[in-house]
Amino acid sequence: MSVVIAPTAVVDPKAQLGSNVRIGHFSVIGPDVLIGDGTVIDEHAVITAQTTIGENNRIFAGSIIGGDPQDTSYKNSPTKVIIGDNNIFREHCTVNRATEKEDGITEIGHDNYFMAGTHVAHDCKVGDRIVIANNGMLGGHVRVGNDVTIAGGVGVSHFASIGQLSFVSAMSRVLHDVPPYTIVDGQPSKPRAVNTIGLKRHGYTTEDVEALTQAFRLLYRARIGIDKARQEVYSNGPIRPVIKHLFDSIDRSCSGRHGRGQDQRGKKKAA
């Protein structure tokens, strides 16, 4: 099937559309947009600026992808949005292009599901197989690892990182990095448990889950400190990759300001 463009849509002739792309009524596609094979864009959507969208994505009505970053320092530079394959953006999602403060790219991976009203701010890096429920909000420069679930109404502070296979409960206010493999909840959010259900669904072994549970108890129940917890967990057997990843992530979070590993601007200035 060839490209299908609704008669009321506005598609710039310079835009590059793959095969089997469909553009719905009243949608607007800008001149610097590249859309991969099989992607469907519903009614009243806007794809603008230097935006690249991969194959077999579905963009529902009212979504805006590639809009200017909501950053007062932005001066209309040609920054980008890059989106992978097999993503779903439900109604009224927004994905802002980047500023020049990092590599100039807001990036989203593959097989993600963004429910209605989701906002992905400038300079975010979002991995694969992520679900963000209705009205989830990612601030600027946020990092989201693979296989993360973010429930409805969650606000994530700029420069925060959401670790792999974590679960963020509904209405949480994420001010600090979320450790991988954990469930966090609250305002501000705090680690509450190991994400055992998510780990089992993704094929992690019983030994992995038990090791993470032990580490969690030492870190967040006994509160013996990172170094002592690491020493005790490491002394109980082989160092499992999930455990090393957990402690490496916590170390990085502690190295930044306000529990955000990326937010190290103050240290850089002082150096």
Side-chain angles (χ1 to χ4, degrees):
M1 185 175 67
S2 60
V3 173
V4 176
I5 301 174
T8 56
V10 178
V11 178
D12 193 284
K14 294 180 181 178
Q16 300 179 53
L17 308 183
S19 62
N20 302 327
V21 169
R22 288 189 288 159
I23 310 293
H25 284 283
F26 303 104
S27 287
V28 178
I29 311 298
D32 299 311
V33 171
L34 190 156
I35 300 175
D37 298 348
T39 289
V40 176
I41 298 172
D42 287 356
E43 296 75 22
H44 295 279
V46 176
I47 317 295
T48 186
Q50 286 73 20
T51 295
T52 298
I53 299 175
E55 299 182 357
N56 300 313
N57 293 282
R58 178 75 185 276
I59 299 170
F60 281 72
S63 294
I64 302 175
I65 297 178
D68 288 357
Q70 297 176 101
D71 186 309
T72 57
S73 69
Y74 177 70
K75 302 300 181 185
N76 202 36
S77 55
T79 53
K80 301 177 181 180
V81 170
I82 298 178
I83 295 172
D85 305 329
N86 304 308
N87 297 290
I88 295 174
F89 297 86
R90 292 302 303 258
E91 295 81 0
H92 302 286
C93 288
T94 52
V95 181
N96 291 165
R97 58 176 162 155
T99 63
E100 293 182 314
K101 295 175 181 178
E102 293 189 39
D103 61 0
I105 300 172
T106 300
E107 188 169 7
I108 293 173
H110 311 291
D111 302 295
N112 299 300
Y113 196 112
F114 301 93
M115 297 187 191
T118 299
H119 174 64
V120 180
H122 58 86
D123 300 283
C124 284
K125 307 292 185 189
V126 178
D128 304 330
R129 300 175 302 278
I130 293 157
V131 176
I132 303 181
N134 300 62
N135 300 313
M137 299 170 287
L138 305 183
H141 308 273
V142 164
R143 301 289 184 266
V144 184
N146 296 334
D147 302 303
V148 167
T149 299
I150 299 176
V154 170
V156 182
S157 173
H158 61 289
F159 290 102
S161 296
I162 312 296
Q164 174 181 336
L165 253 172
S166 58
F167 182 98
V168 183
S169 297
M171 307 302 291
S172 293
R173 185 162 56 107
V174 180
L175 301 181
H176 319 295
D177 290 350
V178 173
Y181 316 118
T182 62
I183 297 172
V184 302
D185 175 67
Q187 299 189 2
S189 63
K190 296 180 180 179
R192 306 295 183 180
V194 173
N195 186 14
T196 54
I197 293 175
L199 287 161
K200 291 175 182 177
R201 285 177 177 172
H202 286 81
Y204 286 79
T205 66
T206 300
E207 292 77 12
D208 284 335
V209 175
E210 289 175 351
L212 288 167
T213 300
Q214 180 199 16
F216 186 91
R217 287 171 179 163
L218 294 170
L219 288 164
Y220 301 109
R221 296 288 184 263
R223 301 193 180 199
I224 65 174
I226 297 170
D227 293 334
K228 288 185 178 180
R230 179 176 15 233
Q231 182 178 359
E232 184 165 338
V233 173
Y234 282 12
S235 67
N236 286 340
I239 301 173
R240 311 190 71 82
V242 290
I243 288 296
K244 187 175 187 308
H245 180 49
L246 174 64
F247 280 106
D248 287 349
S249 298
I250 294 172
D251 283 338
R252 186 166 187 269
S253 297
C254 292
S255 72
R257 300 193 306 171
H258 312 300
R260 299 189 291 263
Q262 291 192 90
D263 196 356
Q264 300 191 18
R265 293 169 296 169
K267 290 187 177 183
K268 289 177 181 178
K269 288 178 181 179

